[in-house]
Short mmCIF file of all heavy atoms in Angstrom, two decimals:
data_model
loop_
_atom_site.label_atom_id
_atom_site.label_comp_id
_atom_site.label_asym_id
_atom_site.label_seq_id
_atom_site.Cartn_x
_atom_site.Cartn_y
_atom_site.Cartn_z
N ASP A 1 0.82 -1.21 0.00
CA ASP A 1 0.00 0.00 0.00
C ASP A 1 0.85 1.26 0.00
O ASP A 1 0.43 2.30 -0.51
CB ASP A 1 -0.91 0.04 1.23
CG ASP A 1 -2.10 -0.89 1.09
OD1 ASP A 1 -2.39 -1.34 -0.03
OD2 ASP A 1 -2.73 -1.18 2.12
N ASP A 2 2.03 1.20 0.59
CA ASP A 2 2.88 2.40 0.66
C ASP A 2 3.70 2.61 -0.61
O ASP A 2 4.54 3.50 -0.68
CB ASP A 2 3.79 2.35 1.88
CG ASP A 2 4.81 1.22 1.84
OD1 ASP A 2 4.80 0.42 0.87
OD2 ASP A 2 5.62 1.11 2.78
N GLY A 3 3.49 1.80 -1.65
CA GLY A 3 4.19 1.95 -2.91
C GLY A 3 5.45 1.13 -3.03
O GLY A 3 6.15 1.22 -4.04
N ALA A 4 5.76 0.33 -2.03
CA ALA A 4 6.98 -0.48 -2.07
C ALA A 4 6.75 -1.77 -2.85
O ALA A 4 5.75 -2.45 -2.66
CB ALA A 4 7.44 -0.82 -0.65
N LEU A 5 7.66 -2.06 -3.77
CA LEU A 5 7.66 -3.33 -4.49
C LEU A 5 8.89 -4.09 -3.99
O LEU A 5 9.99 -3.54 -3.98
CB LEU A 5 7.75 -3.11 -5.99
CG LEU A 5 7.76 -4.35 -6.86
CD1 LEU A 5 7.04 -4.08 -8.16
CD2 LEU A 5 9.14 -4.87 -7.12
N GLU A 6 8.69 -5.33 -3.57
CA GLU A 6 9.79 -6.11 -3.00
C GLU A 6 9.83 -7.49 -3.65
O GLU A 6 8.79 -8.07 -3.95
CB GLU A 6 9.62 -6.25 -1.49
CG GLU A 6 9.61 -4.93 -0.77
CD GLU A 6 9.19 -5.03 0.69
OE1 GLU A 6 8.50 -6.01 1.05
OE2 GLU A 6 9.56 -4.13 1.45
N ILE A 7 11.05 -8.00 -3.84
CA ILE A 7 11.25 -9.34 -4.38
C ILE A 7 12.03 -10.12 -3.32
O ILE A 7 13.13 -9.74 -2.94
CB ILE A 7 12.04 -9.32 -5.70
CG1 ILE A 7 11.28 -8.52 -6.74
CG2 ILE A 7 12.30 -10.75 -6.18
CD1 ILE A 7 12.05 -8.32 -8.03
N TYR A 8 11.43 -11.21 -2.85
CA TYR A 8 12.06 -12.07 -1.85
C TYR A 8 12.46 -13.38 -2.49
O TYR A 8 11.68 -14.00 -3.21
CB TYR A 8 11.09 -12.34 -0.69
CG TYR A 8 10.84 -11.12 0.16
CD1 TYR A 8 9.76 -10.30 -0.09
CD2 TYR A 8 11.69 -10.81 1.22
CE1 TYR A 8 9.52 -9.18 0.70
CE2 TYR A 8 11.46 -9.70 2.01
CZ TYR A 8 10.37 -8.89 1.74
OH TYR A 8 10.14 -7.79 2.51
N HIS A 9 13.69 -13.84 -2.19
CA HIS A 9 14.22 -15.09 -2.70
C HIS A 9 14.32 -16.08 -1.54
O HIS A 9 14.70 -15.71 -0.43
CB HIS A 9 15.62 -14.86 -3.31
CG HIS A 9 16.25 -16.09 -3.86
ND1 HIS A 9 15.76 -16.73 -4.96
CD2 HIS A 9 17.33 -16.79 -3.46
CE1 HIS A 9 16.52 -17.79 -5.22
NE2 HIS A 9 17.47 -17.84 -4.32
N PHE A 10 13.98 -17.32 -1.80
CA PHE A 10 14.03 -18.35 -0.77
C PHE A 10 15.34 -19.12 -0.89
O PHE A 10 15.43 -20.14 -1.55
CB PHE A 10 12.83 -19.29 -0.89
CG PHE A 10 11.53 -18.62 -0.55
CD1 PHE A 10 10.78 -18.00 -1.52
CD2 PHE A 10 11.10 -18.59 0.77
CE1 PHE A 10 9.59 -17.36 -1.19
CE2 PHE A 10 9.91 -17.95 1.11
CZ PHE A 10 9.16 -17.35 0.12
N GLU A 11 16.38 -18.58 -0.23
CA GLU A 11 17.69 -19.22 -0.26
C GLU A 11 17.71 -20.46 0.62
O GLU A 11 18.31 -21.46 0.31
CB GLU A 11 18.76 -18.23 0.18
CG GLU A 11 18.93 -17.09 -0.81
CD GLU A 11 19.89 -16.02 -0.34
OE1 GLU A 11 20.42 -16.12 0.79
OE2 GLU A 11 20.12 -15.08 -1.11
N SER A 12 17.05 -20.38 1.75
CA SER A 12 16.89 -21.54 2.62
C SER A 12 15.39 -21.82 2.73
O SER A 12 14.57 -21.01 2.33
CB SER A 12 17.50 -21.28 4.00
OG SER A 12 16.76 -20.28 4.67
N ALA A 13 15.05 -22.94 3.29
CA ALA A 13 13.65 -23.34 3.37
C ALA A 13 12.85 -22.47 4.33
O ALA A 13 11.63 -22.40 4.23
CB ALA A 13 13.55 -24.80 3.79
N ASP A 14 13.51 -21.81 5.27
CA ASP A 14 12.79 -21.09 6.32
C ASP A 14 12.56 -19.61 6.05
O ASP A 14 11.45 -19.12 6.10
CB ASP A 14 13.52 -21.24 7.66
CG ASP A 14 13.57 -22.69 8.13
OD1 ASP A 14 12.65 -23.44 7.77
OD2 ASP A 14 14.53 -23.04 8.81
N ASP A 15 13.64 -18.89 5.80
CA ASP A 15 13.55 -17.43 5.74
C ASP A 15 13.77 -16.89 4.33
O ASP A 15 14.81 -17.15 3.72
CB ASP A 15 14.59 -16.80 6.67
CG ASP A 15 14.33 -17.14 8.12
OD1 ASP A 15 13.16 -17.23 8.51
OD2 ASP A 15 15.31 -17.33 8.87
N PRO A 16 12.83 -16.09 3.84
CA PRO A 16 13.06 -15.44 2.55
C PRO A 16 14.01 -14.26 2.73
O PRO A 16 14.03 -13.61 3.77
CB PRO A 16 11.66 -14.95 2.15
CG PRO A 16 10.92 -14.81 3.43
CD PRO A 16 11.49 -15.82 4.38
N ALA A 17 14.83 -14.01 1.72
CA ALA A 17 15.79 -12.90 1.75
C ALA A 17 15.36 -11.85 0.73
O ALA A 17 15.04 -12.18 -0.41
CB ALA A 17 17.19 -13.41 1.43
N LEU A 18 15.35 -10.59 1.14
CA LEU A 18 15.02 -9.49 0.24
C LEU A 18 16.12 -9.35 -0.79
O LEU A 18 17.28 -9.14 -0.46
CB LEU A 18 14.85 -8.19 1.03
CG LEU A 18 14.50 -6.96 0.20
CD1 LEU A 18 13.13 -7.11 -0.45
CD2 LEU A 18 14.53 -5.71 1.06
N ARG A 19 15.77 -9.50 -2.08
CA ARG A 19 16.76 -9.41 -3.15
C ARG A 19 16.70 -8.08 -3.89
O ARG A 19 17.69 -7.62 -4.45
CB ARG A 19 16.55 -10.54 -4.17
CG ARG A 19 16.83 -11.92 -3.66
CD ARG A 19 18.29 -12.10 -3.27
NE ARG A 19 19.20 -11.92 -4.37
CZ ARG A 19 19.76 -12.88 -5.06
NH1 ARG A 19 19.51 -14.12 -4.75
NH2 ARG A 19 20.57 -12.61 -6.04
N TYR A 20 15.52 -7.47 -3.92
CA TYR A 20 15.35 -6.22 -4.67
C TYR A 20 14.15 -5.47 -4.12
O TYR A 20 13.17 -6.09 -3.70
CB TYR A 20 15.13 -6.52 -6.16
CG TYR A 20 14.94 -5.29 -7.00
CD1 TYR A 20 16.03 -4.54 -7.43
CD2 TYR A 20 13.67 -4.86 -7.36
CE1 TYR A 20 15.85 -3.40 -8.20
CE2 TYR A 20 13.49 -3.72 -8.13
CZ TYR A 20 14.58 -3.00 -8.54
OH TYR A 20 14.41 -1.87 -9.29
N ASP A 21 14.24 -4.14 -4.10
CA ASP A 21 13.07 -3.35 -3.75
C ASP A 21 13.07 -2.07 -4.59
O ASP A 21 14.10 -1.63 -5.09
CB ASP A 21 13.01 -3.03 -2.26
CG ASP A 21 14.17 -2.17 -1.79
OD1 ASP A 21 15.19 -2.09 -2.48
OD2 ASP A 21 14.05 -1.57 -0.71
N HIS A 22 11.87 -1.55 -4.79
CA HIS A 22 11.68 -0.34 -5.60
C HIS A 22 10.52 0.43 -5.00
O HIS A 22 9.54 -0.17 -4.58
CB HIS A 22 11.37 -0.73 -7.06
CG HIS A 22 11.24 0.46 -7.97
ND1 HIS A 22 12.33 1.11 -8.49
CD2 HIS A 22 10.15 1.11 -8.43
CE1 HIS A 22 11.90 2.11 -9.25
NE2 HIS A 22 10.59 2.13 -9.23
N ALA A 23 10.63 1.74 -4.94
CA ALA A 23 9.58 2.57 -4.35
C ALA A 23 8.82 3.32 -5.43
O ALA A 23 9.42 4.01 -6.25
CB ALA A 23 10.18 3.55 -3.36
N PHE A 24 7.50 3.15 -5.44
CA PHE A 24 6.62 3.90 -6.33
C PHE A 24 6.01 5.05 -5.52
O PHE A 24 6.01 5.01 -4.29
CB PHE A 24 5.50 3.01 -6.88
CG PHE A 24 5.99 1.98 -7.86
CD1 PHE A 24 6.31 0.70 -7.44
CD2 PHE A 24 6.14 2.29 -9.19
CE1 PHE A 24 6.76 -0.24 -8.33
CE2 PHE A 24 6.59 1.35 -10.10
CZ PHE A 24 6.91 0.07 -9.66
N SER A 25 5.45 6.03 -6.20
CA SER A 25 4.90 7.20 -5.52
C SER A 25 3.46 7.00 -5.08
O SER A 25 2.88 7.89 -4.47
CB SER A 25 4.99 8.43 -6.42
OG SER A 25 4.25 8.21 -7.60
N GLU A 26 2.87 5.84 -5.36
CA GLU A 26 1.51 5.56 -4.94
C GLU A 26 1.36 4.07 -4.67
O GLU A 26 2.24 3.29 -4.99
CB GLU A 26 0.51 6.03 -5.99
CG GLU A 26 0.73 5.44 -7.36
CD GLU A 26 -0.20 6.04 -8.39
OE1 GLU A 26 -1.42 5.94 -8.19
OE2 GLU A 26 0.29 6.59 -9.39
N SER A 27 0.24 3.69 -4.07
CA SER A 27 0.07 2.30 -3.68
C SER A 27 -0.02 1.38 -4.88
O SER A 27 -0.49 1.76 -5.95
CB SER A 27 -1.18 2.15 -2.80
OG SER A 27 -2.33 2.46 -3.53
N ILE A 28 0.43 0.15 -4.68
CA ILE A 28 0.41 -0.86 -5.73
C ILE A 28 -0.86 -1.68 -5.57
O ILE A 28 -1.13 -2.24 -4.52
CB ILE A 28 1.66 -1.75 -5.66
CG1 ILE A 28 2.91 -0.89 -5.90
CG2 ILE A 28 1.57 -2.89 -6.67
CD1 ILE A 28 4.21 -1.63 -5.70
N ALA A 29 -1.65 -1.74 -6.64
CA ALA A 29 -2.92 -2.46 -6.61
C ALA A 29 -2.73 -3.94 -6.94
O ALA A 29 -3.39 -4.80 -6.37
CB ALA A 29 -3.92 -1.83 -7.57
N SER A 30 -1.84 -4.25 -7.88
CA SER A 30 -1.58 -5.65 -8.23
C SER A 30 -0.18 -5.78 -8.81
O SER A 30 0.42 -4.81 -9.27
CB SER A 30 -2.63 -6.18 -9.21
OG SER A 30 -2.52 -5.52 -10.44
N ILE A 31 0.32 -7.03 -8.80
CA ILE A 31 1.67 -7.31 -9.27
C ILE A 31 1.66 -8.68 -9.94
O ILE A 31 0.94 -9.58 -9.50
CB ILE A 31 2.67 -7.23 -8.10
CG1 ILE A 31 4.11 -7.30 -8.60
CG2 ILE A 31 2.42 -8.29 -7.07
CD1 ILE A 31 5.12 -6.92 -7.55
N GLN A 32 2.46 -8.82 -11.01
CA GLN A 32 2.48 -10.08 -11.75
C GLN A 32 3.84 -10.24 -12.42
O GLN A 32 4.39 -9.28 -12.95
CB GLN A 32 1.39 -10.06 -12.82
CG GLN A 32 1.24 -11.33 -13.62
CD GLN A 32 0.48 -12.40 -12.88
OE1 GLN A 32 -0.49 -12.09 -12.22
NE2 GLN A 32 0.93 -13.62 -12.96
N GLY A 33 4.37 -11.45 -12.41
CA GLY A 33 5.62 -11.75 -13.10
C GLY A 33 5.34 -12.49 -14.38
O GLY A 33 4.36 -13.24 -14.48
N GLY A 34 6.19 -12.32 -15.40
CA GLY A 34 6.02 -13.03 -16.66
C GLY A 34 6.91 -12.45 -17.74
O GLY A 34 7.73 -11.58 -17.50
N CYS A 35 6.72 -12.95 -18.96
CA CYS A 35 7.46 -12.46 -20.12
C CYS A 35 6.47 -11.67 -20.97
O CYS A 35 5.53 -12.24 -21.52
CB CYS A 35 8.05 -13.62 -20.90
SG CYS A 35 9.07 -13.09 -22.28
N VAL A 36 6.66 -10.36 -21.07
CA VAL A 36 5.68 -9.50 -21.73
C VAL A 36 6.28 -8.77 -22.93
O VAL A 36 5.77 -8.86 -24.03
CB VAL A 36 5.10 -8.47 -20.74
CG1 VAL A 36 4.10 -7.56 -21.41
CG2 VAL A 36 4.48 -9.17 -19.55
N GLY A 37 7.33 -8.02 -22.71
CA GLY A 37 7.84 -7.11 -23.73
C GLY A 37 8.74 -7.73 -24.77
O GLY A 37 8.64 -7.43 -25.95
N LYS A 38 9.64 -8.62 -24.36
CA LYS A 38 10.61 -9.18 -25.30
C LYS A 38 10.92 -10.61 -24.90
O LYS A 38 11.17 -10.89 -23.73
CB LYS A 38 11.89 -8.33 -25.28
CG LYS A 38 12.87 -8.69 -26.37
CD LYS A 38 13.99 -7.68 -26.45
CE LYS A 38 14.90 -8.02 -27.61
NZ LYS A 38 16.02 -7.09 -27.69
N ASP A 39 10.88 -11.51 -25.90
CA ASP A 39 11.15 -12.92 -25.63
C ASP A 39 12.52 -13.09 -24.98
O ASP A 39 13.49 -12.45 -25.38
CB ASP A 39 11.10 -13.74 -26.92
CG ASP A 39 9.69 -13.90 -27.45
OD1 ASP A 39 8.75 -13.77 -26.65
OD2 ASP A 39 9.54 -14.17 -28.66
N GLY A 40 12.57 -13.95 -23.99
CA GLY A 40 13.84 -14.25 -23.33
C GLY A 40 14.15 -13.36 -22.14
O GLY A 40 15.14 -13.58 -21.45
N TYR A 41 13.35 -12.33 -21.90
CA TYR A 41 13.59 -11.42 -20.77
C TYR A 41 12.33 -11.36 -19.91
O TYR A 41 11.27 -10.94 -20.36
CB TYR A 41 13.95 -10.02 -21.26
CG TYR A 41 15.26 -9.98 -22.01
CD1 TYR A 41 15.29 -9.91 -23.39
CD2 TYR A 41 16.47 -10.04 -21.32
CE1 TYR A 41 16.49 -9.89 -24.08
CE2 TYR A 41 17.67 -10.02 -22.00
CZ TYR A 41 17.68 -9.94 -23.37
OH TYR A 41 18.87 -9.92 -24.04
N ASP A 42 12.46 -11.81 -18.68
CA ASP A 42 11.33 -11.81 -17.75
C ASP A 42 11.12 -10.42 -17.19
O ASP A 42 12.05 -9.62 -17.10
CB ASP A 42 11.57 -12.80 -16.61
CG ASP A 42 11.56 -14.24 -17.09
OD1 ASP A 42 10.80 -14.53 -18.04
OD2 ASP A 42 12.29 -15.07 -16.53
N GLU A 43 9.85 -10.16 -16.79
CA GLU A 43 9.49 -8.85 -16.28
C GLU A 43 8.54 -8.98 -15.11
O GLU A 43 7.89 -10.00 -14.93
CB GLU A 43 8.82 -8.02 -17.38
CG GLU A 43 9.75 -7.73 -18.53
CD GLU A 43 9.03 -7.23 -19.76
OE1 GLU A 43 7.97 -7.77 -20.09
OE2 GLU A 43 9.54 -6.29 -20.38
N ILE A 44 8.46 -7.92 -14.35
CA ILE A 44 7.47 -7.79 -13.29
C ILE A 44 6.61 -6.59 -13.65
O ILE A 44 7.13 -5.50 -13.89
CB ILE A 44 8.14 -7.57 -11.92
CG1 ILE A 44 8.97 -8.79 -11.54
CG2 ILE A 44 7.08 -7.29 -10.85
CD1 ILE A 44 9.81 -8.60 -10.31
N LEU A 45 5.30 -6.80 -13.71
CA LEU A 45 4.37 -5.72 -14.00
C LEU A 45 3.64 -5.36 -12.72
O LEU A 45 3.16 -6.24 -12.01
CB LEU A 45 3.36 -6.12 -15.07
CG LEU A 45 3.94 -6.40 -16.45
CD1 LEU A 45 2.83 -6.80 -17.41
CD2 LEU A 45 4.68 -5.20 -16.99
N ALA A 46 3.55 -4.07 -12.44
CA ALA A 46 2.83 -3.59 -11.27
C ALA A 46 1.84 -2.53 -11.72
O ALA A 46 2.19 -1.63 -12.48
CB ALA A 46 3.80 -2.99 -10.25
N SER A 47 0.59 -2.67 -11.27
CA SER A 47 -0.39 -1.62 -11.55
C SER A 47 -0.61 -0.85 -10.27
O SER A 47 -0.68 -1.41 -9.17
CB SER A 47 -1.70 -2.20 -12.08
OG SER A 47 -2.33 -2.98 -11.10
N THR A 48 -0.71 0.47 -10.40
CA THR A 48 -0.84 1.33 -9.23
C THR A 48 -2.30 1.72 -9.03
O THR A 48 -3.15 1.45 -9.87
CB THR A 48 0.01 2.60 -9.39
OG1 THR A 48 -0.48 3.34 -10.50
CG2 THR A 48 1.48 2.26 -9.56
#
């Protein structure tokens, strides 16, 4: 809700580790991972 986008990686079975974060200027309504713009490059789409 505060506009933060975070990516957590599960290096061990118990605790996720924060790998990347990005701050938007408004709340994030939804988020989705996939290949959208160019074949071979994965993306994360966020709608605000």
Side-chain angles (χ1 to χ4, degrees):
D1 284 344
D2 64 358
L5 180 146
E6 299 169 337
I7 300 174
Y8 290 93
H9 180 67
F10 292 91
E11 293 175 357
S12 67
D14 297 331
D15 296 324
L18 180 65
R19 292 297 299 260
Y20 180 81
D21 63 342
H22 183 80
F24 290 94
S25 61
E26 57 185 302
S27 64
I28 297 174
S30 67
I31 189 167
Q32 183 79 41
C35 184
V36 179
K38 189 170 184 182
D39 288 338
Y41 295 103
D42 292 326
E43 296 166 318
I44 297 172
L45 296 180
S47 65
T48 63

